Amino acid sequence: GRSMSPIDVILPTLLMTLSTTYSLQFLTSHMTLLERRWKSGQFDRVGCCEEAAAESFFPLLIAQITTAIGTASLCLTDIPAIRQFGMMSALGTVFTAGLIYTLLPIAVMVIPIAPRLRTPEGEWMSKLADMSQFLHRKKTRTLIAAFGITLVLSAGLVNLKVENDPKTFFKPDSPVRLAFTDLEKNMGGA
Protein backbone atom coordinates (compact mmCIF):
# COMPACT_ATOMS: atom_id res chain seq x y z
CA GLY A 1 0.00 0.00 0.00
CA ARG A 2 0.81 3.64 0.04
CA SER A 3 -0.07 6.57 2.24
CA MET A 4 -3.14 8.70 1.56
CA SER A 5 -2.77 12.16 0.09
CA PRO A 6 -5.24 15.05 -0.08
CA ILE A 7 -5.66 14.30 -3.78
CA ASP A 8 -7.08 10.87 -2.87
CA VAL A 9 -10.01 12.61 -1.19
CA ILE A 10 -10.91 14.42 -4.42
CA LEU A 11 -10.79 11.37 -6.69
CA PRO A 12 -13.91 9.53 -5.41
CA THR A 13 -15.93 12.74 -5.61
CA LEU A 14 -14.84 13.28 -9.21
CA LEU A 15 -15.61 9.71 -10.24
CA MET A 16 -19.01 9.73 -8.50
CA THR A 17 -19.89 12.97 -10.29
CA LEU A 18 -18.79 11.60 -13.66
CA SER A 19 -20.58 8.29 -13.25
CA THR A 20 -23.76 10.06 -12.11
CA THR A 21 -23.62 12.42 -15.09
CA TYR A 22 -23.03 9.62 -17.58
CA SER A 23 -25.75 7.48 -15.99
CA LEU A 24 -28.25 10.33 -16.13
CA GLN A 25 -27.58 10.76 -19.86
CA PHE A 26 -28.39 7.11 -20.49
CA LEU A 27 -31.33 6.96 -18.06
CA THR A 28 -32.95 10.12 -19.42
CA SER A 29 -32.84 8.67 -22.92
CA HIS A 30 -34.18 5.36 -21.62
CA MET A 31 -37.06 6.92 -19.65
CA THR A 32 -38.10 9.08 -22.60
CA LEU A 33 -38.19 6.04 -24.90
CA LEU A 34 -39.97 3.98 -22.25
CA GLU A 35 -42.70 6.61 -21.89
CA ARG A 36 -43.11 6.95 -25.65
CA ARG A 37 -43.36 3.18 -26.17
CA TRP A 38 -45.76 2.76 -23.23
CA LYS A 39 -48.15 5.31 -24.74
CA SER A 40 -47.97 3.71 -28.20
CA GLY A 41 -48.60 0.22 -26.80
CA GLN A 42 -45.23 -1.14 -28.02
CA PHE A 43 -43.73 -1.69 -24.58
CA ASP A 44 -40.53 -3.73 -24.86
CA ARG A 45 -38.04 -3.29 -22.02
CA VAL A 46 -35.07 -4.88 -23.83
CA GLY A 47 -35.70 -3.09 -27.12
CA CYS A 48 -36.11 0.20 -25.30
CA CYS A 49 -32.82 -0.33 -23.47
CA GLU A 50 -31.00 -1.21 -26.70
CA GLU A 51 -32.36 1.88 -28.44
CA ALA A 52 -31.42 4.12 -25.50
CA ALA A 53 -27.90 2.65 -25.46
CA ALA A 54 -27.54 3.24 -29.20
CA GLU A 55 -28.90 6.79 -28.90
CA SER A 56 -26.63 7.82 -26.03
CA PHE A 57 -23.50 5.89 -27.04
CA PHE A 58 -21.78 8.52 -29.20
CA PRO A 59 -22.38 11.56 -26.93
CA LEU A 60 -21.27 9.55 -23.90
CA LEU A 61 -18.22 8.22 -25.70
CA ILE A 62 -17.10 11.72 -26.70
CA ALA A 63 -17.61 13.00 -23.15
CA GLN A 64 -15.71 10.08 -21.66
CA ILE A 65 -12.80 10.29 -24.11
CA THR A 66 -12.35 14.03 -23.63
CA THR A 67 -12.54 13.65 -19.85
CA ALA A 68 -10.01 10.81 -19.87
CA ILE A 69 -7.63 12.78 -22.11
CA GLY A 70 -8.05 15.93 -20.02
CA THR A 71 -7.36 14.18 -16.74
CA ALA A 72 -4.53 12.12 -18.26
CA SER A 73 -2.85 15.37 -19.30
CA LEU A 74 -2.23 15.97 -15.60
CA CYS A 75 0.31 13.12 -15.82
CA LEU A 76 2.65 15.51 -17.62
CA THR A 77 3.28 17.60 -14.51
CA ASP A 78 6.33 17.30 -12.29
CA ILE A 79 4.26 17.23 -9.09
CA PRO A 80 3.85 13.55 -8.05
CA ALA A 81 0.47 13.98 -6.32
CA ILE A 82 -1.04 15.73 -9.35
CA ARG A 83 0.49 13.17 -11.71
CA GLN A 84 -0.99 10.36 -9.61
CA PHE A 85 -4.40 12.09 -9.55
CA GLY A 86 -4.30 12.45 -13.35
CA MET A 87 -3.47 8.79 -13.87
CA MET A 88 -6.05 7.53 -11.36
CA SER A 89 -8.84 9.79 -12.63
CA ALA A 90 -8.17 8.85 -16.27
CA LEU A 91 -8.27 5.16 -15.37
CA GLY A 92 -11.37 5.76 -13.24
CA THR A 93 -13.07 7.50 -16.16
CA VAL A 94 -12.36 4.53 -18.45
CA PHE A 95 -13.58 2.10 -15.77
CA THR A 96 -16.73 4.17 -15.25
CA ALA A 97 -17.35 4.10 -19.01
CA GLY A 98 -17.14 0.33 -18.96
CA LEU A 99 -19.71 0.14 -16.18
CA ILE A 100 -22.06 2.54 -17.93
CA TYR A 101 -22.00 0.44 -21.13
CA THR A 102 -22.33 -2.95 -19.40
CA LEU A 103 -23.76 -2.92 -15.90
CA LEU A 104 -26.24 -0.05 -16.23
CA PRO A 105 -28.16 -1.44 -19.25
CA ILE A 106 -28.36 -4.85 -17.56
CA ALA A 107 -29.66 -3.25 -14.36
CA VAL A 108 -32.24 -1.24 -16.31
CA MET A 109 -33.48 -4.39 -18.05
CA VAL A 110 -33.69 -6.41 -14.84
CA ILE A 111 -35.05 -3.81 -12.41
CA PRO A 112 -38.69 -3.02 -13.20
CA ILE A 113 -38.92 0.70 -13.90
CA ALA A 114 -42.39 2.05 -14.54
CA PRO A 115 -42.60 4.76 -17.17
CA ARG A 116 -43.28 8.19 -15.75
CA LEU A 117 -46.54 9.34 -17.18
CA ARG A 118 -46.76 13.09 -17.08
CA THR A 119 -49.23 14.59 -14.65
CA PRO A 120 -51.04 17.86 -15.24
CA GLU A 121 -48.78 20.77 -14.42
CA GLY A 122 -49.40 22.99 -11.46
CA GLU A 123 -50.32 26.65 -11.68
CA TRP A 124 -46.70 27.78 -11.22
CA MET A 125 -45.39 25.54 -14.02
CA SER A 126 -48.19 26.74 -16.28
CA LYS A 127 -47.18 30.37 -15.69
CA LEU A 128 -43.53 29.55 -16.38
CA ALA A 129 -44.51 27.80 -19.61
CA ASP A 130 -46.58 30.82 -20.69
CA MET A 131 -43.68 33.16 -19.92
CA SER A 132 -41.29 30.94 -21.84
CA GLN A 133 -43.58 30.91 -24.87
CA PHE A 134 -43.97 34.70 -24.69
CA LEU A 135 -40.19 35.22 -24.55
CA HIS A 136 -39.74 32.80 -27.44
CA ARG A 137 -42.27 34.69 -29.57
CA LYS A 138 -40.55 38.01 -28.77
CA LYS A 139 -36.99 36.68 -28.93
CA THR A 140 -35.52 39.69 -30.78
CA ARG A 141 -36.90 42.13 -28.23
CA THR A 142 -35.84 39.82 -25.40
CA LEU A 143 -32.26 39.64 -26.71
CA ILE A 144 -32.10 43.42 -27.17
CA ALA A 145 -33.41 43.96 -23.62
CA ALA A 146 -30.96 41.44 -22.18
CA PHE A 147 -28.08 43.07 -24.06
CA GLY A 148 -29.16 46.53 -22.83
CA ILE A 149 -29.37 45.35 -19.22
CA THR A 150 -25.94 43.75 -19.56
CA LEU A 151 -24.48 47.01 -20.90
CA VAL A 152 -26.02 49.07 -18.10
CA LEU A 153 -24.79 46.68 -15.43
CA SER A 154 -21.35 46.43 -17.06
CA ALA A 155 -20.86 50.19 -16.78
CA GLY A 156 -20.09 49.72 -13.10
CA LEU A 157 -17.11 47.47 -13.88
CA VAL A 158 -14.86 50.48 -14.56
CA ASN A 159 -15.32 51.56 -10.93
CA LEU A 160 -14.52 48.12 -9.55
CA LYS A 161 -11.31 47.97 -7.51
CA VAL A 162 -9.80 44.67 -6.53
CA GLU A 163 -7.56 44.72 -3.48
CA ASN A 164 -5.60 41.54 -3.17
CA ASP A 165 -2.96 42.56 -0.65
CA PRO A 166 -3.73 40.34 2.36
CA LYS A 167 -1.67 42.54 4.68
CA THR A 168 -4.35 45.24 4.62
CA PHE A 169 -6.77 42.91 6.37
CA PHE A 170 -4.66 43.10 9.55
CA LYS A 171 -3.78 45.93 11.92
CA PRO A 172 -0.29 47.47 11.44
CA ASP A 173 0.99 45.92 14.70
CA SER A 174 -0.59 42.48 14.08
CA PRO A 175 1.83 39.50 14.24
CA VAL A 176 0.60 38.32 10.84
CA ARG A 177 1.26 41.69 9.22
CA LEU A 178 4.68 41.93 10.88
CA ALA A 179 5.52 38.43 9.58
CA PHE A 180 4.50 39.49 6.04
CA THR A 181 6.67 42.59 6.31
CA ASP A 182 9.59 40.48 7.55
CA LEU A 183 9.15 38.01 4.65
CA GLU A 184 9.06 40.81 2.07
CA LYS A 185 12.15 42.43 3.55
CA ASN A 186 14.24 39.27 3.92
CA MET A 187 12.96 37.12 1.04
CA GLY A 188 11.94 39.63 -1.61
CA GLY A 189 8.19 39.21 -1.30
CA ALA A 190 5.63 36.68 -0.25
Side-chain angles (χ1 to χ4, degrees):
R2 61 176 181 77
S3 61
M4 292 280 291
S5 73
I7 300 295
D8 294 333
V9 176
I10 300 170
L11 186 62
T13 306
L14 173 71
L15 294 179
M16 283 189 288
T17 303
L18 290 174
S19 61
T20 302
T21 305
Y22 299 151
S23 298
L24 283 175
Q25 172 74 29
F26 173 79
L27 289 173
T28 301
S29 176
H30 180 265
M31 292 302 287
T32 304
L33 289 168
L34 198 63
E35 180 182 343
R36 196 178 313 139
R37 287 184 177 204
W38 184 272
K39 287 180 180 177
S40 68
Q42 301 171 345
F43 184 71
D44 174 23
R45 188 173 300 282
V46 175
C48 189
C49 189
E50 288 173 350
E51 190 176 340
E55 182 179 292
S56 60
F57 176 77
F58 189 70
L60 281 174
L61 184 66
I62 295 298
Q64 291 160 343
I65 288 172
T66 55
T67 304
I69 291 171
T71 54
S73 70
L74 295 174
C75 294
L76 302 175
T77 186
D78 294 333
I79 303 169
I82 302 294
R83 188 172 44 236
Q84 178 185 356
F85 175 74
M87 180 183 64
M88 298 297 276
S89 56
L91 290 174
T93 301
V94 172
F95 181 73
T96 300
L99 290 178
I100 297 298
Y101 293 125
T102 56
L103 191 61
L104 186 61
I106 292 170
V108 166
M109 283 190 278
V110 172
I111 299 170
I113 300 174
R116 59 174 195 254
L117 301 175
R118 308 228 185 241
T119 58
E121 297 169 335
E123 185 178 327
W124 180 246
M125 291 302 291
S126 177
K127 288 180 181 181
L128 286 176
D130 290 343
M131 184 177 73
S132 174
Q133 289 174 357
F134 172 78
L135 293 174
H136 184 70
R137 282 192 310 270
K138 309 284 185 183
K139 58 184 144 202
T140 304
R141 290 181 185 165
T142 303
L143 286 173
I144 290 171
F147 185 69
I149 291 170
T150 303
L151 280 177
V152 168
L153 295 176
S154 298
L157 287 175
V158 295
N159 298 325
L160 185 65
K161 294 180 184 175
V162 178
E163 181 61 49
N164 59 1
D165 185 11
K167 289 186 303 183
T168 60
F169 300 136
F170 301 98
K171 295 178 182 176
D173 60 341
S174 167
V176 175
R177 188 157 185 176
L178 294 173
F180 265 108
T181 305
D182 188 43
L183 277 172
E184 287 176 347
K185 185 174 112 183
N186 295 326
M187 301 183 134

